[in-house]
Amino acid sequence: CGSKTSEQKNIQFSIPTDVASLDTTILTDQYSYDVAGNVEEGLTRVDSKGNAALALAKSIDVSKDGLTYTVTLKDNLKWSNGDKLTAKDFVYSWKRAVDPKTGSEYAYLMGAVSGANDIISGKSSLDTLGIKAESDTEFTVTLAQPTPYFKFLLSEPVYYPLDQKVVDKYGKQYGTSSDKTVYNGPFMFKSDKAWTGTNKNFSIYANPNYYDKSAVKSKQIDFQVISNANTGAQLYKQGKLDFTLLSTTDLINANKKTEGYTVFKQARTDYIEYNQSGKNASSPDAQKALANQDIRQALNLATNRAEVVKTALPGSTAATSFTPVGMSKTSTGEDFATYAKQDYSYDPTKAKELWAKGLKELGLTKLSLSLEAAGDLAPSEATANFLQTAYQQNLPGLTVNLKLVPFKQRLNDAQNGNFDMVLSGWGGDYAEPSTFLQLFTTGQSYNDGKFSSKTYDDAFKAATTTPDVLEPAKVDEHYKAAEAALYEGSYINPIDFQANPALMNPKITGLEFHSTGLAYDLKSAYIK
Amino acid sequence: MENLNKDFTLVGSKGSDSTEKIAKPALSFFQDAWRRFKKNKIALVAMWIIAITLVFSVISAFVVPQSKANYFNPNKSQVYGNLPPKLSGDLPFWNGDFKAPGSAEKTDVYKAQGVPEKDKYVFGTDKYGRSLAKRTVVGLRISLIIALAAALIDLVIGVTYGIISGWMGGKVDMVMQRIIEIIQSVPNLVVVTMLALLLGQGISSIIIAIGLFAWTGMARQVRNMVLSYKERDFVLASKTLGQSTWKIAVKHLLPNVSGVIVVQIMFDIPSMIMYEAVLSAINLGVKPPTSSLGTLINDGIASLQFYPFQLIIPAIVLSVLSLTFIFFGDGLRDAFDPRASED
């Protein structure tokens, strides 16, 4: 409950899973990010309009060829322990992130910096990284390729600075509990109600050393880990919680009229991947079938996305491309997903035709395919259950074996290519289509279906390399061509653009939601 | 002496023949048991319920095949999804009126969702629009199949193991009993999980999983009985007459322990039905979309707050089924072993 001594009520915030780490180089999951992003900060911070506004940086100058960034830091920046925050902290942190010994899963985001990819793969030494401290407050960054969205990348945790003294002191223990971490963001942890690494209740407090502390309106924000969404909704109704996510269809439908019902549109797409690697499918027939474009197209056409969304994921919208709506804008200011929209439609008649044609080509009369999904996530379980019956009814001769496994095993199986069809999800890291479209270039590690499309690769390459990379209109065109290639080849089956329905106290002001990166920015949030 | 005899005369003794005569008709063991069983009204009702359920399940296999229970119209899941139970629109209750989640008043959900007038679901539907009545019928059938198959394993392995262990005695008995203790001490959920990984989900792997463990109790019971019976005189007599061990076991021991066996099975069945429900609840049970009572209950838990009927109906069926088996078993125990009961 809120402390009764202070006049202002603390925001009671909830997250559904435990915080895994506060080490900004290591953390990978959304909810660790939601906490860490409020106690740490990078050179930029995404503002309410969705622009990458300057944060720790006083200025960022970009050279004409888009390859050199000169960063000047704000004056008198300090860590929460009183240490000075200097350009060296960035050099140290970035080198730590790309060091293969650190094992940061998000190191690939640093690929934009010159030399990073070679260092990550162990081919060259740390010194070749394109970052150089000119003075305590100034450093230059050299990029491998012109990257128009680099300022967005700078707001990502893996680009945050680190206080070398503290990291060296705790070594592997850094970030495993709040007293083994140092802060530079709007908030910080204290020894009171600290995060021990496992506890379910902890608080963050306004950071007195923060450069923009006048903008921080809350003195204290309390976090609770509530894994059962029903409990969260109950506590919200009793006034003991100001924010809780609604995760099941029933809960969402039941709370649509509750005061404070809000839908946060995430930049997240759920999609089915087809195993086209030529191995590890459930049977040789399944292998052959999934390599057949007619079969894949039939499966795509037999997917009634609108009904799936209504049954399994209320609040979300049916997918019309792989890159979701509400994430990034084209050079003309249009939403990219609207601009790059493809004809992912539901057409059972055409699906049947193509299915029959595909089976004939393969010389089969019936086929069994497995559909794998995470059984511990309610929406994904419901989607899989729905699609199983829908596919079997729409496509004669098809048997769908449902494989509901724990989320972690789903990730594992997808990574190892151990599936026929798998229901996956991808969330954008920064507000630019490449955060999605880079996934399916040939050989990329998240291309679980292991397909290869030259049209797609060419379009993606053209969009991300010189000369076209510097011309926003052409970049949009190429990205659209990549989306078209995905659709034409039926390589994947986008199902929905996910949204997060939640209950949020209407009295909360200043909370900013971002569809990519830090989802809940609490910097200037407070209860009126 | 003479005077004494004058005062007391022996009554009813008319000769040695009459003292040998048995007035009541001779009852076999099972006839006697049935006589005692009939006195227990609850057990009698339970027996009838079990009999009806079994017949119903067998017939239902032809009327409601699995495919019908798994059917829903993917294009109309919003129309048919989450419908409350409705028997007839004219009844004051059970008429499809329901307080939908989020609304304050009861409304006719069937009308609100645009369900055609002729469609009624006696037990309502789940979130996809599958009929809960059909799913419960199939679930009941599957739970019974699992229970009966597991009981058969129980009978074959448990009884054989128990008789051998008890009859042989000595070192063999010692080793066999230690093996049972080892099996009992292994947490069976762990083994079941590994088995599910090995064989995949499905009815057969559940039956095997249950069969692996369930027989130990039976083996213990039978062994204890055999240990005491083999010292009895009638066994000694058959041995002396040169009867083979096999015949002694089948002809003399088995009938004597049959009461215990039947009772033990009746108590094992409900626990097997429950165990199937537990396995289904942790995703180790039957393969979706097949419904068993366990999966229905598990799905119902998620929507308990909003659509309680989705949980209550399969839960009632499961409870009634288990309870009838327990009452039936109780009645049988009293009937077979009058000394154990009060009367």
Side-chain angles (χ1 to χ4, degrees):
Chain A
C1 307
S3 69
K4 280 162 194 153
T5 47
S6 67
E7 283 175 31
Q8 189 193 42
K9 237 186 110 204
N10 301 333
I11 295 177
Q12 305 290 326
F13 205 81
S14 77
I15 52 175
T17 58
D18 284 313
V19 173
S21 172
L22 286 176
D23 184 339
T24 49
T25 316
I26 300 291
L27 66 87
T28 51
D29 66 297
Q30 181 67 51
Y31 301 105
S32 299
Y33 190 169
D34 286 344
V35 176
N38 284 303
V39 294
E40 309 281 2
E41 195 165 78
L43 292 169
T44 59
R45 192 176 185 94
V46 178
D47 67 11
S48 55
K49 293 185 193 82
N51 300 320
L54 295 177
L56 295 182
K58 190 159 76 184
S59 70
I60 300 176
D61 296 318
V62 190
S63 67
K64 268 217 177 102
D65 60 1
L67 285 173
T68 315
Y69 282 62
T70 311
V71 180
T72 315
L73 297 177
K74 289 201 166 76
D75 301 323
N76 299 322
L77 291 177
K78 267 186 191 168
W79 290 98
S80 58
N81 60 0
D83 288 355
K84 279 186 98 176
L85 196 163
T86 65
K88 287 197 188 74
D89 294 335
F90 283 92
V91 179
Y92 169 72
S93 154
W94 291 18
K95 285 188 176 167
R96 179 173 182 258
V98 292
D99 190 343
K101 272 184 258 164
T102 315
S104 164
E105 277 185 49
Y106 264 63
Y108 77 91
L109 275 184
M110 306 230 42
V113 182
S114 121
N117 285 333
D118 281 346
I119 301 171
I120 293 166
S121 54
K123 277 187 234 154
S124 50
S125 76
L126 281 179
D127 297 330
T128 55
L129 189 70
I131 178 169
K132 194 171 159 232
E134 308 288 347
S135 71
D136 266 4
T137 54
E138 195 183 302
F139 63 96
T140 50
V141 182
T142 323
L143 300 191
Q145 285 289 338
T147 312
Y149 52 88
F150 191 63
K151 281 185 187 170
F152 283 103
L153 288 180
L154 290 175
S155 70
E156 285 293 306
V158 73
Y159 281 93
Y160 289 178
L162 285 172
D163 189 349
Q164 183 170 6
K165 258 188 358 198
V166 181
V167 180
D168 283 348
K169 185 176 164 196
Y170 294 115
K172 289 249 174 230
Q173 297 283 308
Y174 180 78
T176 53
S177 69
S178 63
D179 58 346
K180 288 178 181 150
T181 318
V182 66
Y183 312 97
N184 71 347
F187 296 94
M188 60 182 282
F189 279 95
K190 289 184 181 171
S191 52
D192 190 27
K193 286 190 84 182
W195 177 67
T196 59
T198 49
N199 58 338
K200 309 276 180 199
N201 288 295
F202 47 86
S203 300
I204 55 175
Y205 304 86
N207 180 356
N209 285 339
Y210 186 57
Y211 66 89
D212 192 18
K213 60 186 167 196
S214 59
V216 181
K217 301 274 173 54
S218 284
K219 283 188 197 123
Q220 181 184 347
I221 292 173
D222 301 328
F223 279 87
Q224 290 182 45
V225 179
I226 297 174
S227 48
N228 185 335
N230 280 318
T231 315
Q234 283 301 325
L235 288 173
Y236 176 85
K237 283 179 188 160
Q238 293 163 14
K240 289 180 182 160
L241 210 57
D242 295 314
F243 179 94
T244 183
L245 290 169
L246 301 171
S247 59
T248 66
T249 309
D250 294 335
L251 211 48
I252 295 165
N253 287 334
N255 287 296
K256 270 189 179 151
K257 286 173 193 153
T258 308
E259 199 189 6
Y261 176 79
T262 325
V263 178
F264 294 109
K265 297 260 179 207
Q266 273 195 311
R268 196 176 171 82
T269 307
D270 290 315
Y271 56 100
I272 290 178
E273 295 186 90
Y274 299 121
N275 186 349
Q276 296 152 69
S277 66
K279 56 181 185 218
N280 290 343
S282 61
S283 69
D285 281 349
Q287 204 103 275
K288 273 195 296 177
L290 291 169
N292 184 302
Q293 194 185 331
D294 288 329
I295 296 282
R296 292 199 306 268
Q297 201 181 342
L299 287 165
N300 277 10
L301 284 169
T303 311
N304 193 344
R305 296 179 185 78
E307 285 289 327
V308 173
V309 165
K310 278 187 223 153
T311 313
L313 309 132
S316 305
T317 43
T320 50
S321 57
F322 179 54
T323 314
V325 181
M327 185 184 76
S328 63
K329 294 202 162 41
T330 64
S331 56
T332 56
E334 195 185 354
D335 190 285
F336 175 77
T338 319
Y339 165 77
K341 192 174 164 181
Q342 303 296 324
D343 187 27
Y344 285 106
S345 55
Y346 173 60
D347 187 347
T349 335
K350 202 174 164 205
K352 265 195 197 85
E353 257 169 52
L354 284 166
W355 179 254
K357 193 177 148 217
L359 285 184
K360 212 174 157 198
E361 282 165 22
L362 297 164
L364 299 171
T365 48
K366 56 182 185 195
L367 183 64
S368 291
L369 293 174
S370 73
L371 172 60
E372 184 161 338
D376 42 4
L377 302 176
S380 116
E381 190 219 337
T383 308
N385 265 309
F386 183 95
L387 287 177
Q388 178 190 34
T389 305
Y391 281 159
Q392 288 184 165
Q393 278 178 25
N394 282 326
L395 307 171
L398 173 65
T399 314
V400 177
N401 296 315
L402 213 51
K403 237 178 115 185
L404 294 175
V405 295
F407 176 66
K408 276 188 179 154
Q409 198 193 331
R410 203 275 283 148
L411 280 180
N412 245 327
D413 286 348
Q415 279 284 298
N416 301 331
N418 237 332
F419 61 91
D420 290 353
M421 302 188 277
V422 63
L423 185 62
S424 298
W426 184 257
D429 292 314
Y430 48 88
E432 215 263 353
S434 66
T435 187
F436 274 86
L437 294 173
Q438 62 166 342
L439 242 65
F440 297 125
T441 50
T442 304
Q444 221 279 350
S445 65
Y446 285 102
N447 181 351
D448 300 323
K450 303 265 178 291
F451 66 86
S452 169
S453 157
K454 192 166 181 309
T455 333
Y456 182 88
D457 289 351
D458 288 348
F460 185 76
K461 200 171 174 215
T464 49
T465 49
T466 41
D468 287 356
V469 66
L470 294 170
E471 290 177 57
K474 282 195 177 163
V475 170
D476 293 337
E477 257 173 55
H478 291 310
Y479 281 146
K480 188 176 181 175
E483 284 282 359
L486 274 187
Y487 169 72
E488 297 294 340
S490 303
Y491 296 114
I492 58 158
N493 185 2
I495 307 287
D496 65 278
F497 301 144
Q498 230 185 65
N500 272 348
L503 292 174
M504 185 173 84
N505 187 343
K507 284 190 187 145
I508 293 185
T509 352
L511 183 142
E512 272 167 31
F513 173 81
H514 305 303
S515 64
T516 56
L518 175 61
Y520 306 101
D521 188 342
L522 300 166
K523 179 176 166 180
S524 41
Y526 67 102
I527 292 188
K528 253 193 297 201
Chain B
M1 288 293 264
E2 221 169 280
N3 288 339
L4 279 173
N5 280 336
K6 255 183 190 171
D7 289 342
F8 298 98
T9 44
L10 287 167
V11 182
S13 143
K14 281 162 196 142
S16 62
D17 277 359
S18 58
T19 54
E20 294 290 309
K21 198 179 174 252
I22 299 166
K24 274 190 188 171
L27 288 177
S28 74
F29 174 69
F30 282 101
Q31 281 171 324
D32 193 35
W34 174 240
R35 185 186 59 81
R36 273 194 296 270
F37 181 81
K38 277 194 291 189
K39 282 189 194 158
N40 188 339
K41 294 292 174 245
I42 295 178
L44 206 61
V45 172
M47 188 193 75
W48 278 110
I49 295 180
I50 290 173
I52 292 168
T53 312
L54 286 176
V55 172
F56 174 76
S57 290
V58 171
I59 296 171
S60 77
F62 302 101
V63 185
V64 189
Q66 254 201 47
S67 57
K68 268 197 185 169
N70 297 338
Y71 173 83
F72 68 91
N73 185 341
N75 306 325
K76 287 196 174 160
S77 64
Q78 290 309 297
V79 177
Y80 290 103
N82 286 325
L83 290 173
K86 178 178 182 178
L87 195 59
S88 158
D90 306 327
L91 290 169
F93 56 95
W94 208 338
N95 56 3
D97 282 2
F98 188 68
K99 211 170 95 183
S103 64
E105 278 168 44
K106 274 192 171 187
T107 45
D108 186 347
V109 182
Y110 282 70
K111 218 186 211 168
Q113 296 192 0
V115 181
E117 198 69 30
K118 62 176 172 44
D119 287 347
K120 291 184 200 86
Y121 292 92
V122 199
F123 284 173
T125 59
D126 67 3
K127 63 182 164 193
Y128 306 103
R130 299 184 287 210
S131 160
L132 275 179
K134 285 179 192 159
R135 288 183 74 71
T136 310
V137 169
V138 171
L140 175 67
R141 197 160 72 218
I142 295 214
S143 293
L144 279 177
I145 290 174
I146 289 172
L148 295 180
L152 204 68
I153 296 179
D154 198 5
L155 200 65
V156 174
I157 302 180
V159 172
T160 321
Y161 196 97
I163 289 183
I164 294 173
S165 179
W167 183 258
M168 304 288 272
K171 273 193 183 148
V172 176
D173 182 43
M174 215 276 291
V175 172
M176 287 178 89
Q177 291 310 307
R178 294 303 84 75
I179 291 175
I180 286 189
E181 272 153 29
I182 290 169
I183 291 174
Q184 281 177 337
S185 64
V186 176
N188 46 13
L189 214 52
V190 177
V191 180
V192 172
T193 312
M194 291 201 288
L195 213 73
L197 284 176
L198 195 72
L199 302 172
Q201 288 179 309
I203 298 177
S204 50
S205 64
I206 296 181
I207 292 175
I208 294 174
I210 296 177
L212 273 181
F213 299 99
W215 58 269
T216 51
M218 173 71 86
R220 274 272 155 100
Q221 290 267 15
V222 172
R223 176 240 180 200
N224 292 349
M225 296 300 288
V226 171
L227 269 187
S228 81
Y229 273 109
K230 74 171 181 183
E231 305 297 334
R232 300 276 180 97
D233 290 344
F234 66 89
V235 176
L236 186 68
S238 350
K239 264 191 195 166
T240 325
L241 289 170
Q243 188 80 285
S244 73
T245 314
W246 169 250
K247 278 240 167 114
I248 295 176
V250 174
K251 283 211 139 176
H252 299 292
L253 291 178
L254 210 52
N256 276 302
V257 294
S258 61
V260 175
I261 294 173
V262 173
V263 171
Q264 181 70 23
I265 284 183
M266 286 306 144
F267 285 124
D268 278 350
I269 285 179
S271 69
M272 283 160 192
I273 294 174
M274 289 291 188
Y275 198 60
E276 181 277 322
V278 171
L279 289 183
S280 295
I282 54 174
N283 271 334
L284 290 172
V286 294
K287 242 189 225 169
T290 311
S291 58
S292 73
L293 291 177
T295 52
L296 288 175
I297 289 172
N298 187 35
D299 293 345
I301 289 172
S303 44
L304 170 64
Q305 250 185 316
F306 312 105
Y307 306 104
F309 60 87
Q310 292 178 354
L311 172 67
I312 291 171
I313 290 163
I316 288 178
V317 173
L318 180 74
S319 314
V320 169
L321 191 65
S322 300
L323 215 58
T324 47
F325 271 109
I326 289 171
F327 280 137
F328 183 54
D330 229 22
L332 283 182
R333 190 193 54 206
D334 295 348
F336 285 146
D337 187 5
R339 277 162 302 173
S341 63
E342 284 164 36
D343 49 21

